[in-house]
């Protein structure tokens, strides 16, 4: 019985690991029942290399659930080295075409499927209710619950049509927060009525669309419970299971995030999350020899023996992990079909559809010679990770050789803006959220009122002679903006 209990405890874990080949401890853990693995940019050595890595994992355990964060836009793992070829959610929401959203998600699914991945931790269906939000922003389809729900459902349908499971996140809604859960516990202080009207409709739409998984957020939602959502039976079982009727896999956000890591040891977080109704425990960082994964297993089995975690609850969770793996196995034909369904040029076309210029009557490309491009750059959130998308200046230089770029952070100073009479482009990201960025932007516009301003995040009040909003900072969005600015569209 002890062996079966150990295997069930291993089945509910989804740890990360270092390197582009499976370490020895991971191979051993898979043989001993480890149910899942999550990939990060550190594991990716090109699409072929990732597919080879996943094939190695499946040789150890054919039904392992391999997960990845592949949202498109700012958050990409498989394209971290060059930035995403696909616009993110806000760009798709602004473009306003659900069929376009569905097609983009299917192509993201095509890429993820080619890597052998089972579960994509996407889409984000949080409603971006607070423009100060430091971690959602352009990852959301927008601030209107109905629009977010429609595009979220279309994204899920598109991805799952490619034979890859989707995961709606971050339940019950991370959009009305001003804290990044990687750093501290965010609070959603809205009333239960507001949560029902604003935050839950996109999750209802995702469930109606057949989403296979839901990720809970590390969120304090006092209108529902005094416990963080990850550890709350009222949230995971009462609200998600019983009220919304979700029957698929519930996975936690990474348990090393400070929002919950500051409250309990990892093993205790895992036990409490499972007792609350979670089925899979995401662990982004594991010890070099896997001791941390085995410590989680032992904490779970110990809690069952002590009567703090019902064995039936653990068996149910392990069963849902197996169900997801079985669903993936049944989608082999869908993955074979999407492999033949390349949609060339779609990423650039979708990003172009999201461009919005002020004044709207601007029809003539403002750049006729190589400009100076000044990037006012804030540090990306931990959710973005190591992604290095093509910057706007680089994208313009592909069209106008000789373009000069300068990058300025919150400790920096503007360069000489005269730069031999060059046109000036100022690229900002979420300028409305950063006082230092607004200050430098105002200073630049006083010196060069002819400057073009390009906002790659959530737009604020238009600034400058021409203000172009891309609604995202993917490589696709940078290229779309460069083509528009130079008249190469």
């Amino acid at each position: 019985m002890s062996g079966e209990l150990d295997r069930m405890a291993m089945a509910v874990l989804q740890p990360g690991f270092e390197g582009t080949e499976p370490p020895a401890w991971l191979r051993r853990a898979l043989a001993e029942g480890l149910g899942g693995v999550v990939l990060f940019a550190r594991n990716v050595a090109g699409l072929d290399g990732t597919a080879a890595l996943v094939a190695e994992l499946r040789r150890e355990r054919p039904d392992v659930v391999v997960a990845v964060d592949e949202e498109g836009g700012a958050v990409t793992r498989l394209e971290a080295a060059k930035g995403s070829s696909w616009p993110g959610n806000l760009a798709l929401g602004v473009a306003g075409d659900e069929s376009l959203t569905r097609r983009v998600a299917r192509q993201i699914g095509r890429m993820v499927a080619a890597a052998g991945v089972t579960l994509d931790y996407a889409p984000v269906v949080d409603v971006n209710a607070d423009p100060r939000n430091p971690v959602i922003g352009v990852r959301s389809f927008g601030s209107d619950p109905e629009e977010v729900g429609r595009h979220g459902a279309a994204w899920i349908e598109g991805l799952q049509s490619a034979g890859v499971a989707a995961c709606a996140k971050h339940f019950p809604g991370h959009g009305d927060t001003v804290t990044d859960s990687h750093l501290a516990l965010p609070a959603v202080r809205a009333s239960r009525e507001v949560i029902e009207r604003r935050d839950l409709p996109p999750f209802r739409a995702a469930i109606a669309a057949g989403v296979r998984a839901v990720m809970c957020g590390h969120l304090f939602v006092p209108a529902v419970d005094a416990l963080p959502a990850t550890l709350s039976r009222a949230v995971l079982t009462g609200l998600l299971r019983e009220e919304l009727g979700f029957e698929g896999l519930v996975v936690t956000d990474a348990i090393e995030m400070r929002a919950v890591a500051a409250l309990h040891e990892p093993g205790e977080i895992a036990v409490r999350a499972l007792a609350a109704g979670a089925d899979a425990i995401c662990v982004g960082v594991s010890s070099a020899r896997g001791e941390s994964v085995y410590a989680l297993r032992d904490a779970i089995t110990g809690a069952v023996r002590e009567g703090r975690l019902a064995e039936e609850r653990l068996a149910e969770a392990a069963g849902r992990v197996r169900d997801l793996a079985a669903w993936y196995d049944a989608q082999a034909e869908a993955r074979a079909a999407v492999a033949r369904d390349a949609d060339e040029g779609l990423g650039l076309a979708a990003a172009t559809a999201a461009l919005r210029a002020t004044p709207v009557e601007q029809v003539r490309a403002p750049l006729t010679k190589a400009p100076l491009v000044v990037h006012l750059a804030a540090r990306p959130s931990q959710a973005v990770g190591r992604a290095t998308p093509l910057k706007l200046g680089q994208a313009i230089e592909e069209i106008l050789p000789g373009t000069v770029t300068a990058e300025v952070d919150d400790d920096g100073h503007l360069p000489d803006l005269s730069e031999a009479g060059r046109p000036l482009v100022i690229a900002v990201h979420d300028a409305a959220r950063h006082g230092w960025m607004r200050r430098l932007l105002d200073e630049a516009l006083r010196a060069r009122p002819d400057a073009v301003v390009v906002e790659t995040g959530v737009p604020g009040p238009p600034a400058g002679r021409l203000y172009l909003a891309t609604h995202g900072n993917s490589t696709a969005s940078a290229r779309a903006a460069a083509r528009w600015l130079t008249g190469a569209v």
Side-chain angles (χ1 to χ4, degrees):
M1 185 60 193
S2 175
E4 179 58 26
L5 191 59
D6 283 349
R7 291 189 73 84
M8 287 195 298
M10 290 293 271
V12 301
L13 301 178
Q14 293 186 356
F17 61 95
E18 296 295 324
T20 56
E21 295 182 1
W25 72 261
L26 182 57
R27 293 178 184 274
R28 183 176 71 254
L30 289 165
E32 294 173 359
L34 183 66
V37 169
V38 57
L39 303 181
F40 291 90
R42 62 181 183 259
N43 306 122
V44 172
L47 198 57
D48 290 343
T50 306
L53 166 63
V54 174
E56 284 292 309
L57 297 174
R58 294 204 192 281
R59 267 191 279 276
E60 300 293 340
R61 183 175 180 83
D63 63 347
V64 63
V65 171
V66 181
V68 73
D69 275 298
E70 195 63 43
E71 299 175 10
V75 178
T76 177
R77 306 295 184 238
L78 299 180
E79 293 190 291
K82 62 176 184 178
S84 181
S85 304
W86 310 98
N89 287 357
L90 184 59
L92 294 172
V94 168
D97 182 345
E98 292 156 45
S99 66
L100 180 64
T101 297
R102 192 174 291 106
R103 288 170 59 201
V104 166
R106 180 171 168 82
Q107 290 303 304
I108 291 175
R110 180 175 184 266
M111 176 178 66
V112 174
V117 167
T118 315
L119 172 63
D120 188 355
Y121 290 155
V124 169
V125 295
D126 303 312
V127 177
N128 199 50
D130 193 325
R132 299 171 298 168
N133 195 307
V135 70
I136 301 301
V138 294
R139 298 169 67 199
S140 168
F141 290 106
S143 58
D144 179 86
E146 291 187 6
E147 287 293 320
V148 173
R150 283 196 289 270
H151 284 279
W155 207 100
I156 289 161
E157 291 164 358
L159 185 87
Q160 293 190 166
S161 75
V164 175
C167 179
K169 62 186 185 185
H170 308 79
F171 189 82
H174 203 328
D176 187 18
T177 63
V178 293
T179 302
D180 183 346
S181 51
H182 292 84
L183 307 176
L185 180 63
V188 179
R189 299 197 178 276
S191 68
R192 182 66 170 79
E193 179 186 6
V194 169
I195 291 168
E196 176 67 39
R197 183 178 68 247
R198 180 193 65 198
D199 298 318
L200 296 185
F203 288 98
R204 293 184 187 277
I207 292 167
V211 71
R212 306 303 304 185
V214 169
M215 177 179 284
C216 57
H218 300 317
L219 305 163
F220 173 47
V221 191
V224 182
D225 196 0
L227 294 172
T230 305
L231 313 178
S232 169
R233 183 171 176 80
V235 172
L236 300 187
T237 299
L239 185 55
L240 181 56
R241 294 286 189 207
E242 295 173 359
E243 291 191 35
L244 272 63
F246 181 61
E247 297 179 351
L249 184 82
V250 175
V251 60
T252 70
D253 213 339
I255 63 170
E256 71 272 13
M257 293 164 65
R258 292 296 296 167
V260 289
L263 303 177
H264 303 287
E265 292 299 313
E268 187 64 16
I269 295 169
V271 168
R272 294 188 181 210
L274 289 164
D279 304 306
I281 308 299
C282 175
V283 193
V285 178
S286 302
S287 57
R289 296 182 179 178
E291 304 95 334
S292 60
V293 173
Y294 284 92
L296 289 171
R297 179 201 66 182
D298 293 345
I300 293 167
T301 58
V304 172
R305 292 189 181 99
E306 294 164 8
R308 296 195 301 122
L309 175 62
E311 186 174 339
E312 294 80 6
R313 170 79 273 273
L314 179 58
E316 177 185 53
R320 288 205 179 98
V321 175
R322 289 193 299 271
D323 289 345
L324 185 69
W327 178 88
Y328 174 81
D329 285 346
Q331 304 302 308
E333 288 187 11
R335 292 191 295 277
V338 77
R340 303 187 294 270
D341 186 26
D343 203 338
E344 300 295 341
L346 178 63
L348 184 60
T352 301
L355 299 177
R356 296 293 183 271
T358 305
V360 294
E361 61 270 15
Q362 175 81 29
V363 293
R364 188 164 152 268
L367 299 181
T368 56
K369 62 180 180 177
L372 166 64
V373 182
V374 178
H375 294 268
L376 301 183
R379 181 177 301 175
S381 73
Q382 289 185 39
V384 173
R386 300 182 185 180
T388 54
L390 189 75
K391 290 185 170 60
L392 179 64
Q394 296 169 308
I396 293 173
E397 189 173 16
E398 291 178 345
I399 301 169
L400 295 176
T403 293
V404 174
T405 63
E407 192 158 323
V408 182
D409 61 19
D410 55 354
D411 293 325
H413 302 280
L414 292 172
D416 178 7
L417 301 181
S418 62
E419 188 58 38
R422 289 176 180 271
L424 175 63
V425 178
I426 307 170
V428 297
H429 185 79
D430 288 344
R433 286 203 304 110
H434 300 287
W436 68 269
M437 198 178 292
R438 294 194 304 273
R439 176 178 57 78
L440 289 179
L441 177 58
D442 289 344
E443 181 183 334
L445 290 174
R446 283 194 297 272
R448 290 286 303 271
D450 62 320
V452 174
V453 177
V454 179
E455 171 61 81
T456 66
V458 178
R465 176 177 64 87
L466 173 63
Y467 180 85
L468 180 66
T470 65
H471 302 96
N473 59 339
S474 66
T475 291
S477 294
R479 286 207 165 102
R483 287 167 57 83
W484 190 92
L485 289 168
T486 59
V489 175

